[in-house]
């Protein structure tokens, strides 16, 4: 190790270098994954390197000392080709995929028009990326053709989440604004969906019910698969372009190296100390503090413990602002209007950004409602997690962002937040789906919730006149308020759909049934609809805002 440290001082390790870095894995064993140097800083007596482990989640990024670097396998950053400038001299900007697309379009245009030398060509509008997104298939079409391919269906329905960290939504270029009209591989329509409007079915064949064939005492249920609809939003994963609205909106820019690095070392929130996972745009003067203090009731950030103590003598809140719409035992939910409680909502978004990498902070919280889950004790209502939703969503989104704070994770609170969001959808008489892309942990929670909810419906079906039970996708969607695309993708993921004698059947094996029963025994926290006191508002009337 000493030799490696000496080499690190001899060789100038710069930003962009890649090399193996020593870290401990989950079994507390040494491993040397490849990492990229994002930043270098000097403190008295030594250098520190901020590394991102390639193919690992960004929450594992950290500052390391030179003795953890394997200098024998150091890879220096490749020098990128310089693009020619207007007068033919080499420029200083590195090439990028967008410029390659533009270059190819320029060449094609030059071949067609053959302009004279020395004249600059007009830059065509960049449509290449948005056009290439159109052929992507939605999961609805893949269900009938690939009912038995679990791997293929998982890849199409649950793709990997893109990392992004830039927090300035206004820095996007013209291309992003152009391609923002496409979402999840299909063109997003700018008109609101009309209730009761019938669309032409483009799925071959007619509506078919199924005679179920049982194998080895499998529990089976007939299912009726409706024809595919030309939906405005499919659930096949990542949008093709960032959303331009929201308190936390998705962004794919990787250019700002600052936003790729954690800037807060530690947050003290009530009785918990939290280690942030990602960058959050707190004021610059607070990022150098060893600990950032938050009031756990109003979420105001303060620079010292003394400031926090002084604030607590003035802060009258002992629960989040807004209306308490649910209480059972020690669990409560508060509905907070992003317009009426703007400061609290913005502070909540700043805290959430520390643990959400795939979203970008956006300070306009007016179009959003925030539902904060709390745990009650003698000192007050302590925040556990939250989700936000748009007051008006044309794409049937019932969740914009969702987060369970780290001290409360792996205790069933994530599923409780998801279940509560669907209970609100039931009261509103709508089906809902979360905004995409989901984070890795959010994807696991939603996939688990959808699976348990749908299996619960299927296992409760009773035989009708001695025949095996039948149910339609629409009926499952109406009972659970889960959007049809999510129902179908979950059935695909569970590999329940089979094709037999020209009909689709759902076959529940003993393994699936046993696994579901074991999972439900561990799920102690459930939402009781009787304890929900919620009246939905018609936000289309601007006076409600």
């Amino acid at each position: 190790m000493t030799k490696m440290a000496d080499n690190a001082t001899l060789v100038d390790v710069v930003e962009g270098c890649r090399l193996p870095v020593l870290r401990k894995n989950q079994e507390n064993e040494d491993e040397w994954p490849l990492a990229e140097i994002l930043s270098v800083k000097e403190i008295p007596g030594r250098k520190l390197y901020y590394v991102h482990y390639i193919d690992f989640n960004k929450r594992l990024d950290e500052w390391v000392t030179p003795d953890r670097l394997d200098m024998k396998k150091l890879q220096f950053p490749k020098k990128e080709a310089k693009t020619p400038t207007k007068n033919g001299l080499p420029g200083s900007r590195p090439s990028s995929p967008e410029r390659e697309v533009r270059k190819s379009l320029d060449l094609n245009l030059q071949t067609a028009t053959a302009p004279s030398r020395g004249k600059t060509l007009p830059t065509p509008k960049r449509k290449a990326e948005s056009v290439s997104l159109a052929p992507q298939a939605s999961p609805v079409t893949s269900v009938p053709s690939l009912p038995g391919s679990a791997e293929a269906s998982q890849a199409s329905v649950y793709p990997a989440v893109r990392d992004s960290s830039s927090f300035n939504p206004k820095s996007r270029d013209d291309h992003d604004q152009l391609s923002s009209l496409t979402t999840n591989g299909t063109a997003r329509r700018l008109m609101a969906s009309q209730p009761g409007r019938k669309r032409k079915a483009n799925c071959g064949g007619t509506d078919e019910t199924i005679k179920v064939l049982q194998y080895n005492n499998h529990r089976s249920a007939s299912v009726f698969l409706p024809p595919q609809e030309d939906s405005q939003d499919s659930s096949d994963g990542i949008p093709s372009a960032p959303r331009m609205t929201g308190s936390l909106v998705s962004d794919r820019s990787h250019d700002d190296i600052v936003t790729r690095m954690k800037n807060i070392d530690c947050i003290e929130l009530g009785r918990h100390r939290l280690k942030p996972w990602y960058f959050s745009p707190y004021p610059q003067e607070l990022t150098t503090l060893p600990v950032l203090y938050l009031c756990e009731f109003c979420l105001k950030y303060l620079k010292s413990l003394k400031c926090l103590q002084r604030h607590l003598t003035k802060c009258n809140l002992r629960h989040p602002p807004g209306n308490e719409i649910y209480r059972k035992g020690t669990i409560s939910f508060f509905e907070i209007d992003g317009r009426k409680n703007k400061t609290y909502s913005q502070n909540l978004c700043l805290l959430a950004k520390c643990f959400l990498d795939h979203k970008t902070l956006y300070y306009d919280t007016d179009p959003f409602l925030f539902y904060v889950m709390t745990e009650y004790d003698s000192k007050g209502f302590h925040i556990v997690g939250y989700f936000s939703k748009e007051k008006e969503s044309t794409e049937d989104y019932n969740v914009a962002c969702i987060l369970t704070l780290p001290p409360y994770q792996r205790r069933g609170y994530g599923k409780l937040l998801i279940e509560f969001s669907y209970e609100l959808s039931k009261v509103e008489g709508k089906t809902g789906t979360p905004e995409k892309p989901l984070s890795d942990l959010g994807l696991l929670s939603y996939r688990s919730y959808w699976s348990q909810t749908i299996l619960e419906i299927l296992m409760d079906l009773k035989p009708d006149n001695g025949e095996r039970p039948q149910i339609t996708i629409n009926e499952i969607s109406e009972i659970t308020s889960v959007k049809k695309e999510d129902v179908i993708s979950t059935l695909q993921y569970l590999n329940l759909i089979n094709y037999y004698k020209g009909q689709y059947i759902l076959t529940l094996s003993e393994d699936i049934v046993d696994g579901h029963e074991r999972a439900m025994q561990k799920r102690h926290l459930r939402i009781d609809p009787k304890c929900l006191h919620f009246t939905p508002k018609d936000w289309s009337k601007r006076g409600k805002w």
Side-chain angles (χ1 to χ4, degrees):
M1 288 293 181
T2 308
K3 188 175 181 181
M4 290 182 187
D6 293 340
N7 289 339
T9 58
L10 296 175
V11 180
D12 189 16
V13 180
V14 296
E15 296 173 2
C17 287
R18 294 191 175 193
L19 74 171
V21 177
L22 176 65
R23 70 178 297 273
K24 297 285 187 182
N25 60 18
Q26 291 181 337
E27 288 75 28
N28 204 32
E29 299 171 346
D30 290 349
E31 61 179 7
W32 293 84
L34 185 65
E36 179 184 354
I37 304 294
L38 296 185
S39 183
V40 183
K41 72 177 180 181
E42 291 192 32
I43 59 175
R46 59 176 177 170
K47 276 188 176 181
L48 291 178
Y49 301 89
Y50 192 85
V51 299
H52 166 64
Y53 299 103
I54 309 299
D55 297 328
F56 284 70
N57 192 285
K58 281 172 58 180
R59 72 171 70 101
L60 299 177
D61 295 1
E62 59 181 337
W63 289 99
V64 300
T65 52
D67 59 338
R68 292 174 58 181
L69 308 180
D70 185 356
M71 303 300 299
K72 296 177 182 177
K73 300 179 181 178
L74 178 64
Q75 305 172 16
F76 285 98
K78 296 179 182 178
K79 293 183 179 179
E80 299 187 23
K82 296 180 180 178
T83 56
T85 56
K86 179 177 176 180
N87 55 8
L89 298 175
S92 59
R93 295 186 300 173
S95 62
S96 68
E98 288 185 6
R99 295 192 183 97
E100 292 299 325
V101 172
R102 182 185 295 180
K103 183 179 177 182
S104 65
L105 291 173
D106 288 344
L107 291 175
N108 293 338
L109 187 61
Q110 185 176 4
T111 306
T113 58
S116 60
R117 280 190 178 183
K119 292 183 179 180
T120 56
L121 296 174
T123 304
K125 293 181 181 179
R126 286 171 282 179
K127 296 182 180 179
E129 288 92 345
S130 60
V131 172
S132 65
L133 291 167
Q136 294 180 3
S138 70
V140 184
T141 58
S142 64
V143 172
S145 58
L146 295 171
S149 175
E151 184 177 354
S153 63
Q154 182 178 351
S156 64
V157 179
Y158 300 109
V161 174
R162 293 189 181 100
D163 289 335
S164 65
S165 302
S166 177
F167 64 96
N168 184 7
K170 295 183 181 179
S171 64
R172 305 183 183 109
D173 58 9
D174 300 341
H175 162 63
D176 284 331
Q177 295 178 4
L178 173 67
S179 61
S180 66
L181 296 179
T182 61
T183 301
N184 299 338
T186 56
R188 182 190 296 171
R189 301 184 179 167
L190 300 182
M191 54 182 255
S193 59
Q194 299 175 8
R197 179 185 173 189
K198 294 184 180 179
R199 294 173 182 159
K200 184 178 178 181
N202 55 6
C203 177
T206 58
D207 300 348
E208 297 174 306
T209 53
I210 314 147
K211 297 295 182 184
V212 180
L213 186 64
Q214 281 190 298
Y215 297 98
N216 301 327
N217 295 325
H218 288 351
R219 299 189 193 180
S220 304
S222 298
V223 68
F224 167 81
L225 281 181
Q228 176 189 351
E229 292 186 358
D230 181 20
S231 63
Q232 294 186 23
D233 178 65
S234 64
S235 60
D236 60 347
I238 304 173
S240 60
R243 284 173 50 80
M244 303 300 291
T245 60
S247 57
L248 292 173
V249 294
S250 58
D251 191 316
R252 299 177 301 168
S253 128
H254 297 266
D255 297 332
D256 193 349
I257 201 70
V258 174
T259 62
R260 294 181 64 187
M261 298 167 49
K262 303 173 200 173
N263 59 335
I264 304 293
D265 289 333
C266 183
I267 291 176
E268 183 171 304
L269 180 68
R271 60 178 178 271
H272 301 290
R273 283 208 167 183
L274 316 177
K275 293 286 288 184
W277 295 349
Y278 307 113
F279 171 89
S280 183
Y282 279 102
Q284 180 67 32
E285 60 270 17
L286 301 179
T287 59
T288 57
L289 301 173
V291 179
L292 178 64
Y293 295 87
L294 298 188
C295 171
E296 63 176 326
F297 301 115
C298 71
L299 301 183
K300 181 178 180 179
Y301 45 85
L302 302 119
K303 63 181 181 180
S304 68
L305 180 59
K306 193 166 186 178
C307 290
L308 175 64
Q309 291 170 344
R310 189 164 60 245
H311 166 79
L312 290 176
T313 61
K314 306 172 186 176
C315 183
N316 297 322
L317 282 179
R318 288 298 174 264
H319 57 76
N323 299 323
E324 185 180 10
I325 60 173
Y326 179 91
R327 181 188 292 187
K328 184 175 182 181
T330 59
I331 301 296
S332 293
F333 279 86
F334 290 83
E335 183 184 55
I336 296 152
D337 190 326
R339 184 184 68 84
K340 296 179 180 177
N341 299 281
K342 193 184 292 279
T343 302
Y344 181 90
S345 302
Q346 290 177 351
N347 288 339
L348 180 60
C349 291
L350 281 169
L351 174 62
K353 183 62 187 72
C354 292
F355 307 99
L356 294 173
D357 176 47
H358 64 296
K359 300 288 186 177
T360 298
L361 197 65
Y362 190 60
Y363 290 98
D364 181 17
T365 60
D366 288 15
F368 281 80
L369 295 170
F370 297 83
Y371 295 89
V372 177
M373 179 169 64
T374 63
E375 205 172 45
Y376 175 76
D377 65 13
S378 58
K379 294 184 179 179
F381 294 80
H382 309 280
I383 181 171
V384 171
Y386 89 104
F387 68 89
S388 60
K389 64 184 289 187
E390 291 177 294
K391 293 174 180 176
E392 295 179 271
S393 175
T394 57
E395 293 99 341
D396 295 329
Y397 291 138
N398 65 351
V399 166
C401 295
I402 185 168
L403 171 71
T404 305
L405 292 175
Y408 298 96
Q409 290 177 0
R410 304 186 63 84
R411 291 166 56 180
Y413 289 115
K415 277 200 189 70
L416 199 66
L417 282 166
I418 296 172
E419 186 178 2
F420 189 78
S421 70
Y422 281 108
E423 285 297 331
L424 296 183
S425 295
K426 290 176 185 177
V427 176
E428 293 170 346
K430 302 176 182 177
T431 59
T433 187
E435 280 187 21
K436 312 298 186 302
L438 293 167
S439 66
D440 51 353
L441 297 179
L443 174 60
L444 289 174
S445 296
Y446 266 97
R447 184 185 288 171
S448 176
Y449 173 80
W450 287 332
S451 300
Q452 291 181 8
T453 302
I454 293 171
L455 286 173
E456 203 170 24
I457 297 293
L458 297 179
M459 290 174 60
D460 287 342
L461 292 176
K462 299 290 189 284
D464 187 16
N465 296 328
E467 295 186 2
R468 294 182 178 88
Q470 298 187 12
I471 192 170
T472 68
I473 296 293
N474 281 333
E475 287 172 348
I476 296 176
S477 181
E478 289 171 6
I479 294 170
T480 61
S481 281
V482 177
K483 204 172 182 182
K484 278 193 301 184
E485 289 84 357
D486 295 331
V487 173
I488 294 173
S489 68
T490 303
L491 295 175
Q492 274 190 290
Y493 170 72
L494 294 173
N495 202 19
L496 298 183
I497 302 180
N498 295 290
Y499 193 70
Y500 178 72
K501 292 185 178 180
Q503 296 174 324
Y504 293 102
I505 63 172
L506 296 180
T507 305
L508 305 183
S509 67
E510 293 295 333
D511 290 340
I512 289 178
V513 171
D514 292 342
H516 172 70
E517 289 175 346
R518 285 196 301 271
M520 296 306 290
Q521 288 174 0
K522 298 178 183 177
R523 189 172 163 187
H524 303 297
L525 294 174
R526 300 297 297 268
I527 294 296
D528 185 354
K530 297 176 183 176
C531 299
L532 176 63
H533 304 282
F534 170 70
T535 303
K537 295 180 181 178
D538 183 8
W539 294 103
S540 61
K541 299 176 181 177
R542 305 301 289 184
K544 295 283 187 180
W545 286 52

